[in-house]
Amino acid sequence: MKVEEIFFRDMYKQICLLKSARLVKEINLREMLEMYPDEKLDGFLTYGYIDKTAGFTFSIFGGAKISGGQIKIFPINYNEIALIRRGAADSAEVKILSEEYSLAFRDRIQMINDNYSVDNAREQTRFIKTLDAFRHPHYPDDVVVYFFSEKHKPELMWVRCLSIDENILTGELLNEPTKNFGCHAGDKILFGAAQIGGQNILIHLPPKKE
């Protein structure tokens, strides 16, 4: 399967083999690898994680050579960093590998998990399936939300999920509204799921008047 055909949770915190002649050509690991193969690489051994601002990302742990169903890994030097954002890897073939492939890279995995950890409230929103239809394909924390007003036509804007409490979500508004909905880019807003005209959508919930 291709990366674009797999939902982010299937690759999240997983060892992923990405196979792509284009990516191999674009990302030259020769100076990063501890040992470079005599033949051209077929792809990369990677680890999938979420950068809360840059979106879903694959950290490259090494080059991969595939022969007869066997995968040979050529690790990159420990101090080197090579990344692929999901948007650049959508057309790559991907295979989720078993945990045994992660053993040699457990220190790197722990470092990534520590560096890109989020609080439990945001982590929880990444596993809410009712949000999946509204998520950005490359930025799993970001969902599209309708904003309504009696004076204005509805407007769609992106909101970054922060937490949920009894089906009410809190998020950061990422766009500056073109109309006056009482909020601005960077504000924390409330939103939730609703059904309008038989269609499920996410809607902005104005703060309660005191």
Side-chain angles (χ1 to χ4, degrees), residues 97-159:
L97 300 182
S98 59
E99 291 185 4
E100 64 183 273
Y101 284 91
S102 67
L103 295 177
F105 302 98
R106 56 185 177 274
D107 290 341
R108 294 193 189 202
I109 290 173
Q110 187 62 54
M111 182 175 64
I112 291 171
N113 290 342
D114 290 344
N115 288 343
Y116 294 94
S117 65
V118 294
D119 58 42
N120 289 333
R122 180 180 292 198
E123 185 74 11
Q124 183 182 1
T125 67
R126 294 173 177 175
F127 293 87
I128 301 175
K129 293 185 178 181
T130 53
L131 295 179
D132 291 350
F134 313 103
R135 296 184 192 272
H136 191 291
H138 303 147
Y139 298 83
D141 289 340
D142 301 351
V143 294
V144 65
V145 176
Y146 273 96
F147 284 67
F148 291 91
S149 167
E150 293 181 358
K151 298 180 180 179
H152 305 294
K153 291 182 179 180
E155 187 170 352
L156 276 172
M157 285 178 279
W158 288 103
V159 175

Side-chain angles (χ1 to χ4, degrees), residues 16-27 29 33 36-46 60 62-74 84 91-95:
C16 304
L17 176 67
L18 299 184
K19 184 179 179 183
S20 169
R22 177 184 60 81
L23 288 177
V24 168
K25 184 177 181 180
E26 291 178 356
I27 304 174
L29 296 184
L33 297 184
Y36 198 84
D38 294 331
E39 299 178 2
K40 187 172 66 174
L41 296 170
D42 296 308
F44 306 111
L45 185 77
T46 70
I60 299 176
K65 186 69 184 173
I66 306 169
S67 178
Q70 300 296 313
I71 306 170
K72 187 173 183 180
I73 306 302
F74 300 86
I84 308 172
S91 61
E93 294 181 20
V94 60
K95 182 178 181 180

